[in-house]
Amino acid sequence: MSALTPPTDMPTPTTDKITQAAMETIYLCKFRVSMDGEWLCLRELDDISLTPDPEPTHEDSWEDLTDLVEQMRDDTEDPNYLMANERMNLMNMAKLSIKGLIESALNLGRTLDSDYAPLQQFFVVMEHCLKHGLKAKKTFLGQNKSFWGPLELVEKLVPEAAEITASVKDLPGLKTPVGRGRAWLRLALMQKKLSEYMKALINKKELLSEFYEPNALMMEEEGAIIAGLLVGLNVIDANFCMKGEDLDSQVGVIDFSMYLKDGNSSKGSEGDGQITAILDQKNYVEELNRHLNATVNNLQAKVDALEKSNTKLTEELAVANNRIITLQEEMERVKEESSYILESNRKGPKQDRSSEGQALSEARKHLKEETQLRLDVEKELEVQISMRQEMELAMKMLEKDVCEKQDALVCLRQQLDDLRALKHELAFKLQSSDLGMKQKSELNSRLEEKTNQMAATIKQLEQSEKDLVKQAKTLNSAANKLIPKQHH
């Protein structure tokens, strides 16, 4: 802020200047914020002299000026006066923020996201407006001020706002009332109903009195003015992804550098504006190109992982098939052994039947276990086959998506080449126009030289004409003298 303060050797203002400055300024912390058109001009209060002129005309003017200074100092210490100045300050900041956001969004010509700086500053200003004059609620952790409470009342006044409130409450990453209030503002702007909701809330002063002080911005005329200004934001489109955004820990600080007027700055020409727009489009296309390249790389990595898993599943399937063949061979062998044992039991003596019957029961038990194992392996094989089919389908879809992304990337590269060609063409036109201006200036200087020469020649001719007129008069007088002599 030191660069914004004026030099200390500036002339001391007079009484009229001090009165006019007091009427045309607002106060922010220890800075004086003067409105200059659509900009802010900041000067520290310590650097502004409030003393009268060093040479007063008479004692009455000195006393009047001293009384005026004392009255201004008393006014600045009045809480109501400070609250009024804060309300005026916030209203002016809201005007500048909304106007700058609408103009920049229309010039940009695309949907705004959460990374857009003017949009971030608008939400910061709205947060300060909603926090102004909030009553502190006592909790176990101390006093807490949050504007989420007034915003929850909107769903009772406007039924359409119930959807926004429910969505905010369902967001998993929001843990504080401040984060919920910030999310509510963003969703209302996306819905293009922020002005309607704020008007409905401001019209219910009896409900707002529970949350705000009597001289708060939302309870005074400035709140209604800001709600009317919000209607202009319905012309812009915004899209926010708040699932991964940390709205609880953001620091809401107004960036005054976006609204400060630079005395040395001047408006650029129309060609510079076009080149700036083209460069912005080029940067946007390059950023989109990088995003698409990252997406293609991620998809390629997924395809590689699926190919590796497919190879692994194929190997496991071959192992399972070999195991099934082995189990089938063992089952055939067990069947042959069981049939052989049955035949030998029929032909052999009865003494050996008990031992052979025990062996047969063991063989049947083993056969049952092998059969159950075979069923399990067949089920696992069916699961593996279904998984393989699903992975093949997913790979086809990914390949199709990659092809679409590549086509889009080719189109974007073509657009980028067109923009670069247009940029070179505009640069060439700008150079040619500069060259034409130089030639015209040279021709103008030559014409001026010729004009000066012609003026000098005309002066010489006029002088010679005067000399000729004098000579003619002399000759005429001489002739008149000669004519009477001839008559005599």
Side-chain angles (χ1 to χ4, degrees):
M1 281 298 182
S2 60
L4 300 174
T5 56
T8 56
D9 56 352
M10 60 185 297
T12 305
T14 60
T15 307
D16 295 335
K17 292 181 179 179
I18 293 176
T19 305
Q20 184 180 2
M23 295 174 63
E24 297 180 354
T25 59
I26 53 180
Y27 291 87
L28 175 70
C29 298
K30 65 176 295 187
F31 292 95
R32 192 181 76 170
V33 186
S34 301
M35 300 301 299
D36 183 11
E38 58 181 12
W39 299 93
L40 291 178
C41 299
L42 300 185
R43 288 193 297 174
E44 283 188 295
L45 293 177
D46 296 339
D47 294 335
I48 301 173
S49 177
L50 296 178
T51 58
D53 291 334
E55 295 180 358
T57 56
H58 49 81
E59 297 180 357
D60 294 337
S61 61
W62 178 276
E63 294 177 356
D64 294 340
L65 187 56
T66 305
D67 294 338
L68 177 61
V69 172
E70 293 295 331
Q71 183 179 359
M72 291 176 62
R73 290 176 179 174
D74 294 337
D75 290 340
T76 55
E77 295 176 358
D78 187 8
N80 295 328
Y81 181 77
L82 294 177
M83 292 289 284
N85 285 328
E86 290 175 0
R87 290 197 305 269
M88 184 63 66
N89 183 17
L90 290 173
M91 185 185 70
N92 290 328
M93 288 304 304
K95 286 181 181 178
L96 293 176
S97 177
I98 294 171
K99 183 177 180 181
L101 177 59
I102 293 174
E103 291 179 352
S104 61
L106 293 178
N107 293 330
L108 189 62
R110 63 179 177 87
T111 303
L112 306 181
D113 53 14
S114 57
D115 295 332
Y116 193 54
L119 192 58
Q120 293 176 354
Q121 285 301 305
F122 165 72
F123 286 125
V124 171
V125 173
M126 283 301 300
E127 182 177 340
H128 280 275
C129 292
L130 291 171
K131 285 182 177 179
H132 184 262
L134 268 176
K135 293 181 180 179
K137 292 186 176 181
K138 295 183 179 180
T139 60
F140 292 103
L141 300 178
Q143 293 183 349
N144 183 20
K145 289 185 179 181
S146 173
F147 59 92
W148 170 239
L151 296 181
E152 280 187 302
L153 298 176
V154 179
E155 63 176 343
K156 299 179 181 178
L157 305 175
V158 183
E160 297 177 0
E163 182 181 356
I164 295 179
T165 306
S167 301
V168 170
K169 292 179 179 179
D170 292 338
L171 287 175
L174 300 179
K175 299 179 182 179
T176 61
V178 176
R180 297 189 188 96
R182 291 169 177 169
W184 191 93
L185 290 176
R186 284 158 174 77
L187 292 177
L189 183 64
M190 287 175 59
Q191 200 179 26
K192 297 185 178 181
K193 294 288 185 69
L194 183 58
S195 175
E196 180 181 350
Y197 296 157
M198 295 302 293
K199 286 181 180 179
L201 187 62
I202 289 173
N203 291 333
K204 297 294 182 179
K205 297 289 194 303
E206 63 275 8
L207 297 178
L208 290 178
S209 61
E210 181 183 354
F211 300 95
Y212 289 100
E213 299 291 342
N215 52 0
L217 184 140
M218 296 292 289
M219 302 291 290
E220 296 291 341
E221 183 182 359
E222 289 82 359
I225 295 174
I226 293 175
L229 294 173
L230 294 175
V231 178
L233 297 179
N234 295 336
V235 301
I236 66 176
D237 297 324
N239 188 14
F240 305 105
C241 182
M242 289 176 289
K243 289 186 178 180
E245 190 174 359
D246 186 11
L247 298 177
D248 293 325
S249 59
Q250 289 183 359
V251 180
V253 179
I254 300 176
D255 185 9
F256 290 98
S257 61
M258 299 178 63
Y259 312 107
L260 292 176
K261 182 177 180 181
D262 186 5
N264 297 324
S265 63
S266 61
K267 295 184 179 179
S269 61
E270 184 177 357
D272 294 336
Q274 293 179 355
I275 292 175
T276 303
I278 291 172
L279 291 176
D280 293 338
Q281 293 178 1
K282 174 191 172 186
N283 295 330
Y284 172 69
V285 171
E286 290 178 352
E287 183 66 24
L288 186 60
N289 188 11
R290 287 193 291 269
H291 180 68
L292 289 175
N293 286 331
T295 305
V296 170
N297 294 330
N298 293 332
L299 292 175
Q300 188 64 35
K302 291 180 180 179
V303 169
D304 295 338
L306 288 174
E307 288 179 353
K308 291 180 181 179
S309 61
N310 188 18
T311 305
K312 184 177 179 181
L313 290 174
T314 304
E315 295 176 354
E316 292 179 355
L317 181 61
V319 173
N321 289 329
N322 294 331
R323 188 175 180 183
I324 288 172
I325 294 172
T326 304
L327 290 175
Q328 288 177 352
E329 292 176 355
E330 290 181 358
M331 187 172 65
E332 293 294 334
R333 182 175 56 80
V334 170
K335 285 181 179 180
E336 291 177 357
E337 290 179 356
S338 60
S339 61
Y340 175 75
I341 291 172
L342 289 173
E343 291 178 358
S344 61
N345 287 334
R346 291 174 184 175
K347 296 178 181 179
K350 295 181 179 180
Q351 291 81 7
D352 298 333
R353 288 183 179 179
S354 60
S355 60
E356 291 176 355
Q358 185 177 1
L360 182 60
S361 62
E362 292 178 357
R364 288 177 178 175
K365 184 178 180 181
H366 184 66
L367 178 61
K368 186 176 180 180
E369 292 177 355
E370 294 293 336
T371 304
Q372 185 65 32
L373 183 60
R374 179 185 176 185
L375 293 174
D376 296 338
V377 171
E378 288 179 352
K379 289 180 180 179
E380 184 179 358
L381 179 61
E382 291 177 356
V383 173
Q384 296 292 339
I385 292 172
S386 63
M387 291 177 62
R388 180 180 179 183
Q389 292 176 353
E390 291 177 357
M391 279 188 280
E392 289 178 353
L393 180 60
M395 287 180 64
K396 291 180 180 179
M397 294 178 66
L398 286 174
E399 290 176 355
K400 183 179 178 181
D401 193 10
V402 169
C403 293
E404 293 177 354
K405 297 293 184 183
Q406 289 177 351
D407 295 337
L409 187 61
V410 171
C411 294
L412 288 173
R413 287 177 178 172
Q414 184 65 31
Q415 293 179 5
L416 181 60
D417 294 336
D418 295 340
L419 289 173
R420 287 176 178 171
L422 182 59
K423 176 188 173 184
H424 291 310
E425 183 178 355
L426 288 173
F428 178 73
K429 288 182 179 180
L430 185 61
Q431 291 178 357
S432 61
S433 63
D434 292 338
L435 182 60
M437 289 294 293
K438 290 180 180 179
Q439 293 177 355
K440 289 180 180 179
S441 62
E442 293 177 357
L443 182 60
N444 191 13
S445 61
R446 291 177 183 175
L447 288 174
E448 288 180 355
E449 292 178 358
K450 289 183 178 180
T451 302
N452 295 329
Q453 292 176 0
M454 291 178 67
T457 305
I458 289 171
K459 288 181 179 179
Q460 292 177 359
L461 290 174
E462 289 178 351
Q463 185 65 32
S464 62
E465 183 181 1
K466 290 179 180 179
D467 296 338
L468 290 174
V469 170
K470 289 180 180 179
Q471 293 177 4
K473 288 181 178 179
T474 305
L475 292 174
N476 192 9
S477 61
N480 291 329
K481 290 180 180 178
L482 291 174
I483 289 173
K485 290 180 180 181
Q486 292 176 358
H487 285 295
H488 288 296

